[in-house]
Amino acid sequence: MAYETFEKVEGVIQGINRGDDCCSMTLSLVSDGNIVNVVVSGDTTVIDNVRLRPGMRIAAFYDTNLPTPAVYPPQYRAELVTSLRRGQQVLLDYFDERLASEDGSLKLNIGPMTSVETLNGQQYTCSPESTELLVYYTTTTFSIPAQTTPQKVIVMCQY
């Protein structure tokens, strides 16, 4: 799957409603003071298979190539959802051979405590350069690009 068309919406879950069928649900998020609805279906990947619940801070990634209904509040169909801890940030991007993100916003310094794994939670034993990565981090330098030693890196393997 190509992730370059994915965008992120981040917020705190205010409510959860059953979707059009019993295999989907709609999350109402407060994102930057606005309400955003995110549809989570049976096909949505939820990192670490966490149970989503009100009060949880999440990041949901949706494909900008898919049609979006023109409704208010905005509604997106999530392809990928991950929970976030306090102060934690997440970035889904292509990282080059220097582990710099394609958008130029972040450079990774993989440390001995950085967990590097695949989407299904298995240890990734190769070097994560030149791949799509889902990166979890808290602090960065003030340099351009910002540098961080991430807590966790998920390699989005192409099969």
Side-chain angles (χ1 to χ4, degrees):
M1 178 179 283
Y3 299 98
E4 61 267 2
T5 61
F6 280 29
E7 289 291 326
K8 174 178 73 168
V9 60
E10 190 175 307
V12 176
I13 300 173
Q14 294 300 301
I16 301 174
N17 295 308
R18 193 178 92 201
D20 296 335
D21 59 40
C22 292
C23 290
S24 66
M25 61 182 161
T26 301
L27 309 176
S28 292
L29 300 181
V30 173
S31 176
D32 294 327
N34 298 311
I35 298 292
V36 176
N37 289 330
V38 176
V39 176
V40 176
S41 70
D43 293 334
T44 303
T45 300
V46 179
I47 302 296
D48 295 331
N49 294 316
V50 297
R51 184 171 154 248
L52 302 172
R53 57 191 185 281
M56 181 180 278
R57 187 169 155 255
I58 66 163
F61 294 87
Y62 61 93
D63 191 342
T64 58
N65 283 341
L66 296 177
T68 303
V71 296
Y72 183 82
Q75 180 173 299
Y76 304 106
R77 192 182 81 153
E79 298 291 327
L80 179 73
V81 176
T82 185
S83 62
L84 298 172
R85 295 193 310 260
R86 184 182 315 250
Q88 192 174 48
Q89 299 297 315
V90 66
L91 176 65
L92 175 63
D93 204 352
Y94 176 83
F95 285 80
D96 66 17
E97 66 280 348
R98 298 178 304 110
L99 288 176
S101 64
E102 189 170 61
D103 70 1
S105 66
L106 193 64
K107 182 175 182 324
L108 305 181
N109 300 312
I110 304 293
M113 299 304 291
T114 302
S115 171
V116 181
E117 58 190 54
T118 61
L119 191 55
N120 65 5
Q122 303 307 303
Q123 182 180 5
Y124 186 78
T125 56
C126 299
S127 185
E129 293 100 6
S130 302
T131 55
E132 295 273 351
L133 303 175
L134 183 64
V135 178
Y136 297 82
Y137 62 97
T138 52
T139 58
T140 63
T141 64
F142 290 108
S143 62
I144 297 176
Q147 295 186 37
T148 189
T149 301
Q151 300 154 325
K152 181 177 178 178
V153 173
I154 296 178
V155 179
M156 308 301 278
C157 298
Q158 303 290 323
Y159 295 109

